[in-house]
Amino acid sequence: MSKCIKVEQFLEFLSDKIQLFSVKPVLTELINEILFYIDSKGNLKDTYPQLNSVLEKSKLLDKKRNEISRKLSHEQSFQDRKLSYRNGRLNFVLLFDLPLQKQGVRTGISNTGKSYYFEPAELFESNNEYNENELEADRIRKNVIGSYTQRILSFREMINLLYNNVKMLDFYIKNYQREPKDILDPMFSPLLSTDFSRDPDEQRSFR
């Protein structure tokens, strides 16, 4: 018996799978979108439109609170004092042995125990605005990643079928190419000229 796959068998295979392969562009479009907006570590890129606008707002809010802190640094209580971030909130680092007559909140003590972190009342509002905006950015990241995950999972069965059918198509193509040239139908020439080979490392079923 010949090891070559007959034209009729090849046609039957294509006819049976044409509906499945016709949805491939939809899946390809989704994958391309994910590759465009998700980095190699699985994080949403800052270039994602909705996230980008929120991050731009964060820059403005951070600039606003830094301007407030610069004005405060001219006051005697805060002169030559360092700035630090505590849970995303801008604070001054003050020494215990220096008097302070300023409204605000002591948010922590340094490791040395010689200084403490202090958030002046003037920074309350801008710190709150900044942190709320960062929470919005985190919410967007979580929602978008979750949405992409659900959309990919909705194609899970199709991805497995496509993977298995591509392997089968590889087999048919390679054997069909061994047929005598006078049997080859010209309509298949573009398909036959395509490299359907796959890297073994990429031949993994989606689970």
Side-chain angles (χ1 to χ4, degrees), residues 48 133 135 151 171 195:
Y48 188 80
N133 200 67
L135 288 174
R151 289 168 67 186
F171 172 76
D195 180 10

Side-chain angles (χ1 to χ4, degrees), residues 78 82-94 96 100 102-111 115-121 123-124 127-128 131:
F78 301 117
K82 294 181 180 179
L83 289 167
S84 180
Y85 290 94
R86 300 278 295 176
N87 299 319
R89 304 180 73 86
L90 191 59
N91 282 220
F92 279 91
V93 183
L94 305 178
F96 276 110
L100 176 66
K102 194 74 176 177
Q103 288 187 338
V105 176
R106 184 182 296 181
T107 60
I109 301 175
S110 68
N111 292 332
S115 60
Y116 62 95
Y117 300 96
F118 182 78
E119 182 178 343
L123 284 172
F124 287 172
N127 275 333
N128 286 338
N131 277 6

Side-chain angles (χ1 to χ4, degrees), residues 62-78:
D62 193 39
K63 181 179 179 180
K64 174 183 175 181
R65 62 183 182 170
N66 273 285
E67 289 175 351
I68 295 173
S69 67
R70 277 194 293 271
K71 291 179 181 179
L72 289 172
S73 65
H74 294 300
E75 298 183 13
Q76 185 175 359
S77 299
F78 301 117

Side-chain angles (χ1 to χ4, degrees), residues 119-192:
E119 182 178 343
E122 290 87 340
L123 284 172
F124 287 172
E125 183 179 352
S126 58
N127 275 333
N128 286 338
E129 289 177 339
Y130 180 85
N131 277 6
E132 287 172 5
N133 200 67
E134 285 297 291
L135 288 174
E136 174 65 11
D138 289 340
R139 185 190 66 79
I140 291 172
R141 292 186 183 99
K142 181 179 179 179
N143 288 346
V144 173
I145 294 295
S147 175
Y148 278 142
T149 300
Q150 291 302 315
R151 289 168 67 186
I152 276 291
L153 287 176
S154 70
F155 284 102
R156 178 169 54 189
E157 183 178 355
M158 186 174 297
I159 291 173
N160 275 323
L161 289 172
L162 282 171
Y163 165 69
N164 292 328
N165 284 319
V166 165
K167 288 198 300 183
M168 182 68 74
L169 183 58
D170 284 342
F171 172 76
Y172 274 95
I173 289 292
K174 290 172 183 177
N175 284 278
Y176 181 52
Q177 287 175 320
R178 299 192 186 109
E179 291 282 357
K181 291 184 178 181
D182 57 346
I183 299 179
L184 295 178
D185 191 317
M187 69 177 289
F188 291 108
S189 57
L191 193 58
L192 296 177

